[in-house]
Amino acid sequence: MIGNLVNTKDSHIKNLAKIVGGKKSILYHKEDLIAYDCDGFTLHKHLPKAVVFPQNTKEVSDIVRYCSENGLPFLARGAGTGLSGGAIPLNGEVIISLVRMKKLLRVDLENRRAVVEPGFVNLKLTNSISHKGYYYAPDPSSQYCCTIGGNVAENAGGAHCLKYGVTTNHILGLEVVLPNGDIIEIGQNGIPDSPGYDLLGLLTGSEGTLGIVTKITVRILKNPEAKQTVLAYFDQIEDGSQAVSDIISQGIVPAALEMMDKIAIEGVEAAAFPVGHPKDIEALLLIEVDGISAGIEEQINQILEVCKNRNVREVKVAKDEEERARWWANRKTGFGAMGAISPDYLVQDGVIPRSKLPEVLRKINRVSEDYGLRIANIFHAGDGNLHPLVLFDARVPGETEKALAAGSACLQVCADAGGTITGEHGVGIEKREEMRFVFNDEEIIAQTNIRDVFNPENLLNAGKLFPSPGRCVEIKQELKEQNAPKI
Ligand SMILES: Cc1cc2nc3c(=O)[nH]c(=O)nc-3n(C[C@H](O)[C@H](O)[C@H](O)COP(=O)(O)OP(=O)(O)OC[C@H]3O[C@@H](n4cnc5c(N)ncnc54)[C@H](O)[C@@H]3O)c2cc1C
């Protein structure tokens, strides 16, 4: 390996290498570290101190204990597809990459569960069990490469989470390495009403700030007997949005209910998986229903009727599995497709009450006009999880800052509508300050107090999830003084 030996004299590198069985399992040359200076949120870049590749829980625990005893900041990394900067080594962390812990440890069809290592790729689980008639429901669009460990940390969602729930609804047990190196098991593998605090709920979605997940027991589901997919084109975005509310208020819970607006359609049609959507429509809906065969036909007829009542221009049902797969490939590669129509884009992720969809989309359009940047919308309409994609050109001075401000303004619109600032991509470093849109100081302190119990030295993934301390530190100090015993 050629290179800039920035760290070779560092005894920490030698000691960490020893833990993971030698230099084949650690990166520390600058040119190797560059690949780890950001994740899917590319607007912040920081070099890690080193990247280590443990192969089992004991190695993870030994690395963590070493870092903790030596005051070295550290963080976990899966596939690095996170969109909010959760795996960015802000403080020159030792990155603990879980990609070599990628085994499917057990499949238990009788109890409908599987046990995986954290680096196991999401889609591989479904691919490994589909021949037996089972699948793993949470399906982020990045599922072909993101890891289940990363999904747990971000409480990942996906197109089919409307009916089946997000990651937290499918996690039955976790093995976790705490920030001092101790190993604990949480969750009683799905036994309902287990005693004690719900640590499983707490750890899932904690964005890698409370511990490092080293083993995961997940729920697996039986493949639905039948599924049908509908594509509907609208001339008015309002009609498409109203159709979403109408479908749900008819009592239908589709497996997926996705929407794209005109700019998004321009992008997906210019990219790798075009399907021939008309370019002059304002919105499309991709709707999937599944379940037992008997009920599907009726639900499809109801959906077609709703769309007609909302002035749909054209609506069609996928004629076979091949067509359905093409429609989904077109949708699921939607973020990346923005690269076909813009040099850069910023993915946002807000949630709103579904009934406010028309009003919020109008306001996001106004944000786009105010900032002079195009904003595409591709999103999980059924659960009100918006993804405004702010298109910009980082080569134009000041445009990156403008894009960030426009993204933040979109989140403010969501918060003002009674929603929140993230549905599935997490807060990371990207939305730390926007946490103030939805939590006051005391509510933030209640959460950082929990982090401090697990992660008292704040060496694990520091600087993520919460806004800069500022007023919170003052309040914490005031509370301490108020509660101090009077002498
Ligand atoms: C094109 C594209 C489409 C996407 N679509 C979706 C989508 O539909 N739905 C969705 O929810 N997300 C989506 N994402 C975001 C991303 O894929 C998810 O957040 C995913 O869960 C991250 O997994 P990862 O393995 O890449 O984790 P990373 O990016 O490596 O890490 C993410 C966070 O998890 C922590 N972490 C990772 N592994 C562990 C572990 N074992 N223990 C503790 N903490 C850990 C990291 O420290 C970091 O804070 C998309 C991303 C891209 C690029």
Side-chain angles (χ1 to χ4, degrees):
M1 190 186 293
I2 46 157
N4 176 354
L5 304 175
V6 275
N7 283 316
T8 41
K9 289 198 182 115
D10 189 330
S11 62
H12 292 316
I13 300 296
K14 284 194 197 125
N15 294 334
L16 287 166
K18 253 187 237 158
I19 294 173
V20 286
K23 290 201 172 164
K24 279 195 191 136
S25 298
I26 183 165
L27 298 175
Y28 52 89
H29 293 82
K30 190 172 174 191
E31 67 269 24
D32 294 327
L33 298 180
I34 285 171
Y36 295 84
D37 67 2
C38 70
D39 53 14
F41 181 62
T42 55
L43 298 179
H44 277 257
K45 295 193 170 165
H46 296 265
L47 279 188
K49 179 180 183 66
V51 185
V52 279
F53 297 89
Q55 306 216 43
N56 54 52
T57 304
K58 169 142 190 344
E59 287 184 0
V60 175
S61 163
D62 288 349
I63 296 162
V64 167
R65 203 178 295 284
Y66 182 85
C67 289
S68 159
E69 286 171 0
N70 290 281
L72 296 178
F74 58 99
L75 61 79
R77 179 174 165 122
T81 66
L83 290 169
S84 55
I88 296 178
L90 265 186
N91 313 288
E93 273 86 353
V94 171
I95 291 184
I96 302 173
S97 168
L98 281 315
V99 293
R100 289 191 188 166
M101 291 175 65
K102 56 175 181 187
K103 289 201 264 309
L104 171 58
L105 296 171
R106 197 163 62 247
V107 175
D108 172 3
L109 296 182
E110 211 175 321
N111 291 299
R112 298 200 177 181
R113 62 189 53 172
V115 183
V116 298
E117 289 187 326
F120 195 68
V121 167
N122 174 303
L123 186 59
K124 276 194 169 174
L125 182 49
T126 291
N127 289 346
S128 310
I129 54 181
S130 61
H131 63 289
K132 305 229 162 157
Y134 288 83
Y135 75 111
Y136 177 58
D139 64 335
S141 301
S142 50
Q143 68 181 144
Y144 54 88
C145 59
C146 67
T147 67
I148 295 185
N151 296 167
V152 171
E154 297 290 356
N155 190 16
H160 291 80
C161 291
L162 171 61
K163 181 168 178 183
Y164 294 102
V166 294
T167 300
T168 193
N169 304 111
H170 299 269
I171 301 300
L172 303 175
L174 295 176
E175 177 186 80
V176 181
V177 174
L178 294 175
N180 63 1
D182 288 352
I183 302 166
I184 60 167
E185 301 244 357
I186 60 173
Q188 290 192 326
N189 289 330
I191 295 170
D193 287 337
S194 65
Y197 292 126
D198 178 11
L199 295 184
L200 211 49
L202 180 61
L203 263 289
T204 308
S206 60
E207 302 196 19
T209 62
L210 302 182
I212 298 184
V213 174
T214 45
K215 202 192 290 174
I216 306 148
T217 305
V218 300
R219 188 192 307 285
I220 53 177
L221 302 181
K222 195 98 181 77
N223 285 340
E225 197 178 289
K227 58 175 94 149
Q228 293 246 29
T229 310
V230 173
L231 188 55
Y233 298 133
F234 294 87
D235 290 311
Q236 300 294 329
I237 198 151
E238 307 250 327
D239 282 329
S241 312
Q242 289 297 349
V244 171
S245 291
D246 293 352
I247 289 168
I248 304 284
S249 54
Q250 296 244 342
I252 305 168
V253 184
L257 178 39
E258 302 284 295
M259 188 164 179
M260 287 195 232
D261 72 0
K262 188 172 188 169
I263 302 178
I265 293 164
E266 182 190 331
V268 293
E269 286 302 299
F273 298 98
V275 293
H277 301 311
K279 296 222 176 95
D280 60 337
I281 49 164
E282 290 297 323
L284 70 73
L285 292 181
L286 184 61
I287 311 158
E288 189 155 281
V289 287
D290 68 9
I292 49 168
S293 310
I296 297 281
E297 198 66 27
E298 193 189 330
Q299 289 184 48
I300 289 290
N301 287 337
Q302 277 176 290
I303 288 170
L304 296 180
E305 195 59 28
V306 165
C307 291
K308 278 181 197 140
N309 290 338
R310 289 292 173 191
N311 309 311
V312 72
R313 182 199 289 190
E314 185 188 348
V315 59
K316 50 190 176 184
V317 181
K319 54 181 183 301
D320 51 28
E321 179 54 33
E322 195 255 324
E323 185 165 52
R324 175 186 167 268
R326 283 198 303 117
W327 290 353
W328 275 114
N330 176 274
R331 160 61 188 93
K332 287 204 170 187
T333 52
F335 292 175
M338 294 305 110
I341 57 167
S342 173
D344 298 282
Y345 63 94
L346 175 73
V347 184
Q348 265 309 352
D349 170 39
V351 184
I352 55 160
R354 207 171 24 235
S355 57
K356 301 254 176 92
L357 204 47
E359 170 194 328
V360 167
L361 289 177
R362 257 195 314 274
K363 288 188 177 161
I364 288 179
N365 204 24
R366 216 168 300 143
V367 171
S368 158
E369 285 164 13
D370 290 348
Y371 285 86
L373 294 174
R374 298 212 299 164
I375 300 182
N377 289 286
I378 302 185
F379 57 100
H380 311 307
D383 40 22
N385 185 187
L386 303 188
H387 292 313
L389 295 139
V390 183
L391 311 188
F392 69 103
D393 185 347
R395 294 165 302 185
V396 177
E399 202 152 285
T400 303
E401 292 71 21
K402 226 190 324 173
L404 285 165
S408 179
C410 292
L411 295 182
Q412 183 75 67
V413 168
C414 294
D416 291 347
T420 192
I421 60 162
T422 173
E424 52 185 20
H425 297 168
V427 173
I429 54 179
E430 183 203 16
K431 299 189 226 37
R432 287 175 299 190
E433 294 309 317
E434 283 75 9
M435 284 286 269
R436 296 191 192 281
F437 295 173
V438 285
F439 297 115
N440 64 28
D441 285 335
E442 286 72 17
E443 289 160 349
I444 289 168
I445 289 170
Q447 298 185 64
T448 54
N449 283 345
I450 290 174
R451 180 198 57 200
D452 296 348
V453 170
F454 281 80
N455 186 9
E457 307 303 328
N458 203 12
L459 286 172
L460 173 59
N461 218 1
K464 309 288 168 64
L465 189 53
F466 299 109
S468 52
R471 174 79 187 121
C472 291
V473 167
E474 287 165 32
I475 295 181
K476 257 187 180 176
Q477 190 54 35
E478 281 165 25
L479 288 174
K480 245 191 207 158
E481 284 165 14
Q482 278 165 23
N483 294 331
K486 305 276 179 290
I487 303 169

